[in-house]
């Protein structure tokens, strides 16, 4: 699915084996600051396999910038349970040199369109860290509703304070 603005044209493409390099590029201190810090090589390889094997429980995508046709980030969704209800959780990441240009918002909007087309769950949730103003701004811009602050386990074994944003999609 392509989305275009005056300056920016992106496409989100299903995560492929070739996207492993992008995952390593995204695993830098400034990108992982709100997510518990950079992961080890082993953790990145495991994450890549999870992305490839989501199947009917969600999907990860690389964000491709045009006309360069270069991968500059990731966006995706996966099934989870929130308050005893099946929902989708979404997440995104854009390389630092491409941030601040509206790319993440465009990619998340394209992702929401894909999720809505499934007609599977009523809600999408996002859990950006309280200390991540850019990701919280994306949720606000895309008309998610701020439900509350919460404690969120990520990565496994580590807890952080987040905002629980929810978007109704049916």
């Amino acid at each position: 699915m392509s989305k275009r603005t005056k300056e920016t044209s992106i496409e989100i493409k299903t995560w492929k084996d070739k996207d492993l390099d992008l995952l390593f590029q995204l695993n830098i201190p400034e990108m992982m600051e709100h997510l518990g810090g950079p992961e080890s090589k082993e953790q990145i390889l495991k994450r890549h396999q999870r992305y490839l094997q989501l199947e009917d429980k969600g999907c990860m995508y690389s964000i491709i910038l045009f006309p360069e046709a270069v991968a500059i980030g990731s966006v995706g969704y996966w099934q989870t349970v929130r308050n005893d209800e099946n929902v989708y959780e979404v997440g995104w990441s854009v390389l630092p040199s491409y941030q601040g240009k509206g790319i993440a918002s465009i990619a998340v909007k394209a992702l929401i369109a894909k999720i809505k087309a499934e007609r599977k769950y009523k809600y999408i949730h996002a859990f950006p860290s309280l200390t991540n103003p850019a990701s919280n701004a994306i949720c606000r811009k895309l008309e998610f509703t701020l439900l509350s602050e919460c404690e969120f386990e990520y990565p496994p074994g580590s807890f952080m304070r987040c905002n629980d944003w929810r978007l109704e999609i049916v």
Side-chain angles (χ1 to χ4, degrees), residues 68-150:
E68 299 88 345
V70 61
I72 60 163
S74 66
V75 63
Y77 67 102
W78 49 93
Q79 177 197 346
T80 190
V81 176
R82 189 78 179 154
N83 300 323
D84 298 320
E85 182 177 15
N86 286 324
V87 299
Y88 278 132
E89 181 181 337
V90 296
W92 56 87
S93 202
V94 173
L95 290 169
S97 59
Y98 297 96
Q99 292 177 4
K101 300 175 184 187
I103 292 168
S105 294
I106 296 166
V108 174
K109 191 172 183 178
L111 181 70
I112 291 168
K114 287 182 177 289
I115 295 170
K116 281 183 176 182
E118 284 187 13
R119 299 177 170 264
K120 191 169 182 180
Y121 299 131
K122 184 175 182 179
Y123 297 111
I124 299 170
H125 284 258
F127 298 95
S129 167
L130 295 178
T131 61
N132 188 337
S135 287
N136 282 288
I138 290 167
C139 291
R140 210 172 293 108
K141 179 179 180 177
L142 297 178
E143 300 182 348
F144 281 68
T145 299
L146 178 59
L147 297 180
S148 65
E149 289 184 15
C150 63

Side-chain angles (χ1 to χ4, degrees), residues 26-96:
L26 292 167
N27 188 45
I28 56 176
E30 59 263 40
M31 292 297 302
M32 300 301 288
E33 172 186 355
H34 303 288
L35 298 171
E39 295 177 307
S40 69
K41 180 179 179 178
E42 179 180 293
Q43 289 170 312
I44 290 294
L45 294 172
K46 285 180 181 178
R47 173 187 297 279
H48 179 61
Q49 287 306 307
R50 283 194 311 271
Y51 285 5
L52 291 170
Q53 297 168 4
L54 275 170
E55 298 172 4
D56 65 338
K57 296 185 182 216
C59 192
M60 287 303 296
Y61 300 90
S62 57
I63 303 169
I64 309 297
L65 179 68
F66 289 98
E68 299 88 345
V70 61
I72 60 163
S74 66
V75 63
Y77 67 102
W78 49 93
Q79 177 197 346
T80 190
V81 176
R82 189 78 179 154
N83 300 323
D84 298 320
E85 182 177 15
N86 286 324
V87 299
Y88 278 132
E89 181 181 337
V90 296
W92 56 87
S93 202
V94 173
L95 290 169

